[in-house]
Amino acid sequence: MRVIDIIEKTKNKIELTEEEITWFIDEYVKGNIPDYQVSAWLMAVNFNSLTKKETYYLTKAMLNSGDKIDLSSIKGIKVDKHSTGGVGDKASLVVGPLAAACGCVMAKLSGRGLGHTGGTLDKLESIPGVTISLSEERFLNQVNTVHLAIAGQTQNLVPADKKLYALRDVTGTIKSIPLIASSIMSKKLASGADVICLDVKFGSGAFMKTTDEAIELSNEMISLANQAGKKAVCFITDMESPLGKAIGNRLEVLEAINCLKGKGPKDLENICTEIVSYMVFVSGIRNSKEEAKKLVYEKLRDGSGYNKFLEFINAQGATTNTFDESFVSCKEIIPLLSKKEGYIAKIDALTLGLVSMRLGAGRETKEDSIDPNVGIVLNHQCNEYVKVGEPLLYIYKNDKWDENIISDLYNAYSFSDKPIKEFKTIYKIVE
Ligand code: URA
């Protein structure tokens, strides 16, 4: 087989065979195909897409490129949750403990945030002592005893994705539905869960800008899961504006804890309770989605979700259980005062994500270190009324700063004289 023929076929929209795709991925992982040829193929995929069959063969080849986690020794239905990435998205920190408190078993391997989207691992590691480097034995043991573990993906879990993702990141080939679907699903299938709940975001702060794109990606991922004999469900959720009020690692941990205590922002609570209710229902813990939801709210109200969070972080090495104001230490908290009066019509998620990255809360390159204390806390969310001089948000800063931050934040806001049409946090659930 020759790489040039594979590139030519995709360039000319001729379907590749399973043998061709498997050979191409295997040889690339072994280091026998140079990045420039793979880049050319990725660009051809970006323009011409792949057929459903090709996407499945690609996912299978990526899945088989490294280790797989075997969860079969753990009793019950194992659930997993993944988000396509958003601004202020701390939902996994709420979903995991709440699901485990309801009796679900969740084994999650997670990635780090890059660019304007924060990663669950960075948020967890912002808690003193918490480690995300768990051996397979410790991971499985914790899933068995605590019913929840969240760890970093090991080096050899889907190595094909590690190489391809890094290349896509620098060749302008991230945004392709078959490439995103195969990247996410190869890792989720390698992680071994029976049911995969996917939070597919659309809007300014997400990869998918429109609901149509998010639905197309969802259908592709569900089909890949089904072909591999697993179940997947996609929650299509709004990422025009940030999720919740906090952006930045420790600030988001505090907000997740508030949510677990039943005092979180409604948009975050809504997404988390919907996902957990689904998990409770598919795990057979309750017979209907309504009964499942009742149980979820019970566990939120009686503190079981928060207690499970403490049990989970303690199992992963936490050296503190004190989550008050002292948890976030920064040099300055700067309010951004409104220059306008009216209803907040939009707070651009992408802008806020990029500003918090520039404050040090996120990474531009994989090598960057992050500052767990900095970020942004909204004083008001969309559709709330503000007066001139009232804080729109608070900036938590340490040393990183640039002179455009304030003007960029003002530009992220649009206002309206009337309340905007109530938008739904969850646009659609696709099964
Ligand atoms: N997340 C992934 O894991 N892969 C992609 O391609 C995009 C988002």
Side-chain angles (χ1 to χ4, degrees):
M1 258 182 252
R2 296 189 324 151
V3 182
I4 183 71
D5 297 331
I6 289 180
I7 299 170
E8 288 286 353
K9 275 179 112 173
T10 302
K11 190 180 85 180
N12 295 315
K13 297 193 183 175
I14 300 167
E15 192 172 66
L16 296 168
T17 63
E18 181 166 12
E19 290 68 36
E20 283 168 324
I21 292 181
T22 309
W23 175 82
F24 182 67
I25 294 299
D26 286 353
E27 292 301 308
Y28 180 51
V29 172
K30 283 187 212 148
N32 296 337
I33 302 178
D35 281 350
Y36 56 80
Q37 283 191 302
V38 180
S39 305
W41 182 75
L42 290 170
M43 193 55 85
V45 174
N46 254 253
F47 284 117
N48 290 342
S49 196
L50 292 177
T51 63
K52 292 223 171 311
K53 267 195 206 158
E54 286 175 310
T55 309
Y56 178 59
Y57 299 148
L58 175 62
T59 309
K60 213 166 132 191
M62 289 167 73
L63 166 66
N64 290 332
S65 70
D67 299 338
K68 289 171 216 158
I69 307 285
D70 181 5
L71 297 177
S72 60
S73 63
I74 298 166
K75 276 201 285 302
I77 292 173
K78 275 74 67 182
V79 295
D80 193 357
K81 182 235 163 223
H82 180 82
S83 158
T84 55
V87 178
D89 186 2
K90 67 287 292 173
S92 291
L93 299 184
V94 179
V95 167
L98 193 53
C102 291
C104 299
V105 181
M106 183 157 145
K108 177 169 165 60
L109 296 178
S110 206
R112 291 194 184 280
L114 189 62
H116 69 279
T117 64
T120 302
L121 297 185
D122 300 313
K123 286 162 209 174
L124 278 174
E125 279 184 330
S126 79
I127 303 170
V130 167
T131 178
I132 50 80
S133 307
L134 307 181
S135 66
E136 190 170 338
E137 191 189 348
R138 181 170 168 191
F139 180 78
L140 294 178
N141 190 32
Q142 190 177 314
V143 177
N144 250 324
T145 51
V146 181
H147 290 176
L148 169 64
I150 303 181
Q153 285 147 7
T154 57
Q155 237 357 73
N156 205 36
L157 190 105
V158 195
D161 182 61
K162 290 198 176 64
K163 286 190 83 171
L164 283 174
Y165 195 90
L167 197 57
R168 287 166 58 207
D169 205 24
V170 291
T171 54
T173 53
I174 288 283
K175 223 198 119 180
S176 146
I177 287 181
L179 294 180
I180 297 177
S182 55
S183 163
I184 293 175
M185 292 313 290
S186 57
K187 287 175 290 196
K188 289 289 110 185
L189 295 171
S191 304
D194 307 299
V195 180
I196 304 155
C197 295
L198 298 154
D199 181 353
V200 182
K201 306 231 169 262
F202 70 88
S204 141
F207 283 123
M208 300 291 114
K209 298 297 173 203
T210 65
T211 50
D212 283 351
E213 286 172 349
I215 291 171
E216 197 184 333
L217 176 63
S218 300
N219 286 331
E220 193 67 69
M221 292 194 291
I222 290 170
S223 150
L224 291 173
N226 294 343
Q227 288 177 80
K230 306 277 180 173
K231 182 162 179 56
V233 56
C234 292
F235 297 81
I236 300 192
T237 65
D238 191 295
M239 191 30 73
E240 282 295 344
S241 296
L243 180 61
K245 291 185 167 185
I247 306 163
N249 298 285
R250 287 194 179 170
L251 294 166
E252 292 189 44
V253 168
L254 287 184
E255 187 167 73
I257 288 172
N258 272 338
C259 190
L260 283 166
K261 290 178 171 175
K263 293 183 286 191
K266 284 296 156 218
D267 55 347
L268 177 63
E269 183 179 297
N270 186 21
I271 288 186
C272 296
T273 51
E274 281 295 329
I275 295 177
V276 179
S277 301
Y278 187 89
M279 289 174 167
V280 168
F281 172 64
V282 287
S283 298
I285 295 164
R286 288 291 183 275
N287 291 329
S288 71
K289 288 190 182 152
E290 292 68 38
E291 287 299 313
K293 199 170 226 171
K294 262 195 225 157
L295 177 71
V296 172
Y297 274 98
E298 237 171 77
K299 299 295 174 190
L300 205 57
R301 274 190 225 105
D302 72 7
S304 315
Y306 178 54
N307 289 338
K308 186 55 85 173
F309 173 82
L310 294 177
E311 187 187 347
F312 150 63
I313 58 163
N314 289 339
Q316 291 195 205
T319 50
T320 183
N321 280 343
T322 309
F323 296 105
D324 54 21
E325 296 295 295
S326 67
F327 182 60
V328 178
S329 81
C330 64
K331 290 188 180 154
E332 240 182 308
I333 301 175
I334 306 170
L336 183 82
L337 304 180
S338 184
K339 294 179 187 170
K340 296 196 175 148
E341 174 160 353
Y343 291 92
I344 300 175
K346 186 178 167 186
I347 310 170
D348 187 67
L350 178 60
T351 307
L352 267 65
L354 290 172
V355 166
S356 41
M357 187 183 82
R358 278 147 58 197
L359 289 167
R363 294 185 189 78
E364 215 157 342
T365 69
K366 277 190 285 197
E367 289 69 36
D368 289 348
S369 61
I370 60 165
D371 180 344
N373 295 293
V374 297
I376 292 170
V377 176
L378 304 182
N379 191 35
H380 289 287
Q381 289 180 282
C382 277
N383 232 4
E384 293 180 5
Y385 195 79
V386 284
K387 293 193 171 147
V388 174
E390 232 188 293
L392 291 169
L393 55 77
Y394 297 94
I395 305 165
Y396 285 62
K397 79 173 276 284
N398 275 325
D399 296 325
K400 283 198 172 174
W401 184 255
D402 67 70
E403 71 271 18
N404 297 324
I405 284 180
I406 297 286
S407 57
D408 286 352
L409 287 174
Y410 275 123
N411 289 337
Y413 280 80
S414 21
F415 295 86
S416 155
D417 293 341
K418 295 188 216 88
I420 51 167
K421 190 165 69 74
E422 198 64 59
F423 71 90
K424 292 197 289 195
T425 326
I426 301 180
Y427 173 76
K428 196 174 177 163
I429 300 176
V430 187
E431 280 186 70

